[in-house]
Structure formats: structure tokens, C-alpha cells
């Protein structure tokens, strides 16, 4: 059996980390990886995978394509992927249904119609992003005269889906996919550093010295690439509420050009208002030492596909706090996971909607008022009593319990076994 793992690009990020874990978990299988671009090929080749660059897999800009351009690109993509498919191959494609490259999505559909075994690993969906769905319709319907739902969710026995949470499994069933063709495949939680080999106090001291932070304050890290749905404005607001006891750090800048402008505006805003949030901390110090040295990891995101941030830090004895996303955390809670300090909503005095639902301009105005004292911290705490318990010390027994659940239920070995099982079902 050969597995061809495919994704639009392998820049640093969550899906790249998942593919890295898959490559590691499939050491006894012949693995090829095809991608549009890769910043660190050795990450994959050192694990025995063959890496092939097919630049046409890169996400397309949402420009207008002529019929000729689209058909020419389709032929090229189809041909280049087909070259790496042999009998007994599973084509494991990540985020095919996000809609950022409709031509690739259509090419894989055509390959499946020809009998290629396809495993569509769905992390995100075009249905959640209207502009992506519109782009799919422009290409698939207007040019190729195809029904978008048929291309995204074909009723073929050799076409299976992997989902990272139970909510997405329910979603696919509601879209008409037979449940027997869907596997719930929670991401593996795989950190390289063992807490036994790392002194937390030492790690915090190292990080604080590197980032020039006060070691006497709590170190609170948001391990995230700052894109819109990560709701960075909320973290900035929290940093002001707790600036007397905590330093806040964010790990990565976005790489998507669409997101970069938003990010730059927030960085400039913080500089102009003398708000001490450390941006791009993951580029200035080792990522896992940063997580291990943090007193807490936090998330203010309002939409996730799997929610690795809720799990990974616990393996480094770092509790996770912040905003709850019920359709994500319900799976972890079903496993008896404990989250001592998560909140569902952030109320602002005089504002009727959740802070996360405000546009950037309104969020900036509220944060500016909080920073200047026009809006008092006391008012915000009164509206959100849970914030007073956000940084309450987490019992060692809770950390130990959560770590054990991760190690038992989300290990790399168990993940590899589940993948192999699905591939075997496809191959028959």
C-alpha cells in the first residue's frame, strides 16, 4: 500500500503539523507528500517521506478565470497528481472542501470517478466562508457545469471522509454523506519535549529573559497564528484587564495576505496605546519551551476545526483557559476532560452583543476606552464574574488527569492505527 498525502502548502501551521504527525505515524507505509510549496522539506523527508512540489496545488486568488485557463489548469493538475497514483494507492487530501482552489477539488473528484481511492480529510468547510463558496460556484458551476455539492460530497464507495470532531461528522451526514463513509479522526497530540526533562521555572525564566518580560508576573501565551477567527482583540482587552498580574504573548503572525493587514493594524494599535502584548513570541523563542514556561495558555478563538490549543499545553503541565467553543470542547468533556476556567461570552457594559461579534473598529474603541479609564475595569469584571477566577491556580490532580486522557485517547500510535485501518477499508 502507498499513501499520497496532499495539501495546498506546507508552511508552518496546524495542518502542516498534522501532516508531520501523519508522516511520523506511518513509518511502516510508503508515503509520498505532494504540495504546492514547503518551507521545510527536511521535516518530512527525514521521516522517510518523498516530497513532490506541484505548484498548481497552491490556493488560487479569487480572480476571474476564463474557460480556457480553467480547463488548461484542470488538465495539468489532474495529470500531475495522476502520475503519483498506482494500484493500491490512497490519495489522502487535506482541506479539499475549503474552496480555496476549486480546480484541485474538481481534479480530485474526477480522479475518484476514475476509481482512485480518495480520503478527504476535512478540517474546514467552504459553507462557513461565503466568498469561498461563491468562488467554488464560479469555477465548478459556471465553467465546468458541475453541481458543487456533488463535487464536494460525491456518493462514491471509494471516496471517504475524515473529520476532526463529532460536530463535523453530524454536518457531513446532514449534507447527505453516508455515515459509514465518514471516520471521526481526532488529531494526535504530539509534543517533543517531556515535562520530566524540563524545569518549568527554568523555562519561564529563559522565556522571560528572551522576551524581556517581568518574571514576577504570570506568563500567559496564546499559541496561535493571528487570523480573524482567533479574535485577537479579545486577548488585547484581557491583557489590559490583567496587566497588573500578567504578561501576554502571541506566537505567530498570519501568512495569508488577506489577514496580514488586520494583524498589522492590531500591532500598530497596541504600540500606539502602549499595550504590552508580545507578538510573534514563537519566532523569538522555542515554541515548546514557551508553552512549558507559561503559567497559562489562553484561547479567545470563536471558531476551530479541532481545537489543539485546548489539549496540547496540558502535556507540558500548562493549564488552558479562555473562551469555550462548545462544539469543540464537548468531545473532550465526553472523555472526562476538565477545563477549570472557560467562558462562553464576554459582556461589555452598554453593549448588547458578545465582544467577539463586534467589528475591529468597535473592538478598538472599547479597548481604547478601557486603557484610558473611560471604561472602568471594575465594570467589565462585574459584567463577567468568571473573569475573576480566570487565573485561579489549577490543582495538580486536574493537570495529571487531563494529561492521562490525552496520552490514552490522542496518542500518535493510536492515530496511526486508525489511519491504517481506514486505508485498508478503502483498498479493500
Amino acid at each position: 500500500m502507498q499513501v499520497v498525502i496532499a495539501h495546498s502548502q506546507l508552511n508552518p501551521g496546524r495542518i502542516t503539523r498534522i501532516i508531520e504527525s501523519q508522516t511520523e505515524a506511518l513509518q511502516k507505509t510508503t508515503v509520498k507528500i505532494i504540495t504546492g510549496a514547503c518551507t521545510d522539506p527536511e521535516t518530512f523527508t527525514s521521516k522517510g517521506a518523498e516530497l513532490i512540489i506541484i505548484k498548481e496545488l497552491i490556493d488560487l486568488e479569487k480572480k476571474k478565470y476564463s474557460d480556457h485557463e480553467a480547463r488548461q489548469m484542470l488538465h495539468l493538475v489532474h495529470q500531475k497528481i495522476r502520475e503519483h497514483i498506482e494500484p493500491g494507492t490512497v490519495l489522502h487530501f487535506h482541506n479539499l472542501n475549503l474552496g480555496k482552489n476549486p480546480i484541485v477539488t474538481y481534479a480530485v473528484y474526477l480522479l475518484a470517478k476514475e476509481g482512485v481511492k480518495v480520503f478527504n480529510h476535512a478540517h474546514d468547510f467552504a459553507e462557513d466562508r461565503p466568498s469561498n463558496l461563491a468562488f467554488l460556484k464560479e469555477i465548478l458551476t459556471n465553467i465546468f457545469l458541475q453541481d458543487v455539492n456533488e463535487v464536494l460530497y460525491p456518493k462514491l464507495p471509494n471516496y471517504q471522509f475524515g473529520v476532526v470532531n463529532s460536530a463535523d461528522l453530524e454536518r457531513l451526514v446532514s449534507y447527505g454523506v453516508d455515515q459509514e463513509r465518514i471516520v471521526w479522526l481526532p488529531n494526535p497530540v504530539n509534543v517533543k519535549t517531556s515535562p520530566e526533562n524540563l524545569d518549568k521555572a527554568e523555562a519561564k525564566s529563559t522565556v522571560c529573559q528572551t522576551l524581556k518580560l517581568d518574571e514576577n508576573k504570570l506568563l500567559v501565551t496564546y499559541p496561535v497564528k493571528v487570523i480573524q477567527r482567533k479574535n485577537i482583540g479579545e486577548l488585547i482587552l484581557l491583557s489590559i484587564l490583567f496587566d497588573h498580574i500578567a504578561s501576554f504573548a502571541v506566537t505567530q503572525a498570519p501568512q495569508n495576505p488577506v489577514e496580514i493587514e488586520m494583524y498589522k493594524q492590531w500591532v500598530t494599535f497596541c504600540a500606539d496605546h502602549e499595550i504590552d502584548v508580545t507578538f510573534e513570541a514563537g519566532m523569538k523563542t522555542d515554541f515548546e519551551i514557551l508553552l512549558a514556561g507559561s503559567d497559562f495558555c489562553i484561547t479567545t478563538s470563536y471558531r476551530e476545526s479541532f481545537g489543539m490549543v485546548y489539549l496540547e499545553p496540558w502535556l507540558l503541565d500548562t493549564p488552558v483557559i479562555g473562551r469555550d467553543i462548545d462544539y469543540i470542547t464537548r468531545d473532550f468533556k465526553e472523555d472526562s476532560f476538565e477545563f477549570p476556567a472557560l467562558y462562553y461570552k464576554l459582556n461589555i457594559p452598554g453593549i448588547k452583543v458578545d465582544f467577539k461579534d463586534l467589528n475591529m473598529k468597535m473592538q478598538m474603541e472599547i479597548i481604547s476606552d478601557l486603557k484610558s479609564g473611560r471604561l472602568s475595569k471594575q465594570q467589565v469584571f462585574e459584567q463577567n464574574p468568571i473573569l475573576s477566577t480566570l487565573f485561579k491556580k489549577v490543582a495538580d490532580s486536574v493537570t495529571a488527569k487531563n494529561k492521562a486522557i490525552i496520552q490514552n485517547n490522542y496518542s500518535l500510535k493510536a492515530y496511526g492505527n486508525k489511519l491504517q485501518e481506514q486505508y485498508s477499508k478503502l483498498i479493500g
Side-chain angles (χ1 to χ4, degrees):
M1 179 172 66
Q2 173 186 259
V3 178
V4 175
I5 299 175
H7 184 42
S8 59
Q9 47 76 21
L10 294 175
N11 296 328
R14 64 191 167 96
I15 295 178
T16 297
R17 293 181 73 192
I18 296 308
I19 293 173
E20 184 181 347
S21 292
Q22 288 173 345
T23 309
E24 193 173 333
L26 297 169
Q27 292 282 299
K28 295 178 181 176
T29 304
T30 302
V31 175
K32 283 187 179 181
I33 298 173
I34 59 175
T35 185
C38 181
T39 54
D40 185 12
E42 194 180 344
T43 298
F44 304 95
T45 56
S46 65
K47 293 178 175 64
E50 182 184 350
L51 185 70
I52 297 112
I53 303 296
I54 301 176
K55 60 182 175 57
E56 289 81 10
L57 299 190
I58 283 283
D59 294 340
L60 298 178
E61 295 176 17
K62 294 186 179 75
K63 69 171 189 176
K64 296 290 181 185
Y65 287 83
S66 70
D67 288 15
H68 176 71
E69 283 177 319
R71 292 181 189 282
Q72 194 174 41
M73 193 181 299
L74 174 67
H75 175 73
L76 197 60
V77 169
H78 180 277
Q79 182 185 42
K80 286 190 175 184
I81 296 175
R82 199 72 173 88
E83 287 173 8
H84 301 285
I85 306 296
E86 55 191 46
T89 294
V90 173
L91 178 59
H92 182 146
F93 221 110
H94 287 265
N95 245 6
L96 201 54
N97 286 25
L98 181 55
K100 287 192 172 183
N101 191 327
I103 290 171
V104 169
T105 304
Y106 188 40
V108 175
Y109 167 76
L110 292 176
L111 287 167
K113 293 272 283 185
E114 293 165 15
V116 172
K117 316 292 187 184
V118 174
F119 186 78
N120 182 337
H121 201 148
H123 302 267
D124 306 286
F125 296 84
E127 288 84 353
D128 296 330
R129 306 186 189 192
S131 64
N132 289 13
L133 198 56
F135 189 39
L136 278 165
K137 288 175 181 175
E138 280 177 27
I139 302 286
L140 298 181
T141 305
N142 298 352
I143 294 178
F144 295 112
L145 308 179
Q146 294 293 315
D147 177 76
V148 171
N149 286 336
E150 165 61 20
V151 174
L152 294 182
Y153 309 104
K155 294 177 172 60
L156 298 170
N158 58 306
Y159 197 112
Q160 293 185 0
F161 289 86
V163 293
V164 297
N165 61 60
S166 60
D168 285 346
L169 192 152
E170 292 164 6
R171 176 204 287 253
L172 286 187
V173 170
S174 76
Y175 291 165
V177 180
D178 295 332
Q179 191 158 341
E180 57 267 26
R181 291 195 296 115
I182 312 167
V183 59
W184 180 12
L185 194 65
N187 293 339
V189 185
N190 184 28
V191 299
K192 299 180 182 70
T193 305
S194 167
E196 289 74 28
N197 301 326
L198 191 67
D199 182 274
K200 279 191 77 71
E202 216 174 274
K204 181 177 179 179
S205 179
T206 299
V207 169
C208 287
Q209 286 175 32
T210 302
L211 301 180
K212 298 180 172 56
L213 300 175
D214 185 349
E215 290 185 45
N216 295 314
K217 287 186 176 182
L218 296 171
L219 175 57
V220 182
T221 298
Y222 192 5
V224 68
K225 192 184 290 181
V226 182
I227 57 176
Q228 189 71 42
R229 63 186 172 86
K230 301 300 184 178
N231 192 20
I232 191 65
E234 189 161 305
L235 180 89
I236 293 166
L237 183 141
L238 292 173
S239 77
I240 297 171
L241 287 175
F242 294 100
D243 60 5
H244 58 300
I245 61 165
S247 301
F248 286 73
V250 188
T251 53
Q252 286 188 57
Q255 292 181 317
N256 184 334
V258 176
E259 304 278 4
I260 287 172
E261 182 55 35
M262 172 274 301
Y263 172 73
K264 285 180 177 175
Q265 287 184 51
W266 278 116
V267 172
T268 300
F269 175 83
C270 286
D272 290 347
H273 290 78
E274 298 181 341
I275 298 169
D276 293 326
V277 172
T278 301
F279 290 95
E280 298 175 42
M283 307 300 289
K284 299 165 186 171
T285 186
D286 179 86
F287 177 76
E288 288 184 356
I289 292 177
L290 173 60
L291 261 57
S294 298
D295 295 287
F296 293 89
C297 277
I298 192 168
T299 174
T300 54
S301 173
Y302 54 77
R303 190 174 72 244
E304 292 292 322
S305 58
F306 174 66
M308 185 68 80
V309 66
Y310 290 105
L311 301 183
E312 195 172 53
W314 293 97
L315 286 181
L316 296 166
D317 294 335
T318 303
V320 178
I321 59 172
R323 184 176 277 274
D324 200 342
I325 304 175
D326 184 62
Y327 68 87
I328 297 293
T329 59
R330 73 181 191 186
D331 292 337
F332 308 142
K333 290 170 185 173
E334 282 284 319
D335 287 334
S336 300
F337 224 83
E338 282 189 51
F339 294 105
L342 296 182
Y343 59 86
Y344 286 104
K345 188 178 181 184
L346 189 62
N347 300 303
I348 301 298
I351 306 288
K352 291 182 179 179
V353 300
D354 189 344
F355 184 81
K356 76 173 176 63
D357 296 324
L358 301 173
N359 62 35
M360 184 166 66
K361 183 174 182 291
M362 292 184 70
Q363 287 191 347
M364 284 181 170
E365 287 174 2
I366 289 166
I367 293 167
S368 181
D369 285 348
L370 189 65
K371 178 68 177 174
S372 68
R374 290 189 294 272
L375 171 64
S376 79
K377 293 182 183 181
Q378 185 60 33
Q379 285 177 290
V380 179
F381 279 111
E382 285 172 0
Q383 292 274 314
N384 304 275
I386 192 170
L387 293 184
S388 300
T389 66
L390 204 58
F391 295 112
K392 185 179 177 183
K393 182 171 171 53
V394 176
D396 291 343
S397 58
V398 171
T399 301
K401 177 186 175 186
N402 287 350
K403 282 172 68 175
I405 293 168
I406 295 169
Q407 288 158 350
N408 292 334
N409 297 9
Y410 300 92
S411 72
L412 192 64
K413 184 179 179 182
Y415 184 78
N417 290 341
K418 203 164 188 179
L419 273 179
Q420 292 280 11
E421 187 182 325
Q422 286 310 120
Y423 296 154
S424 297
K425 284 182 183 176
L426 261 175
I427 295 297

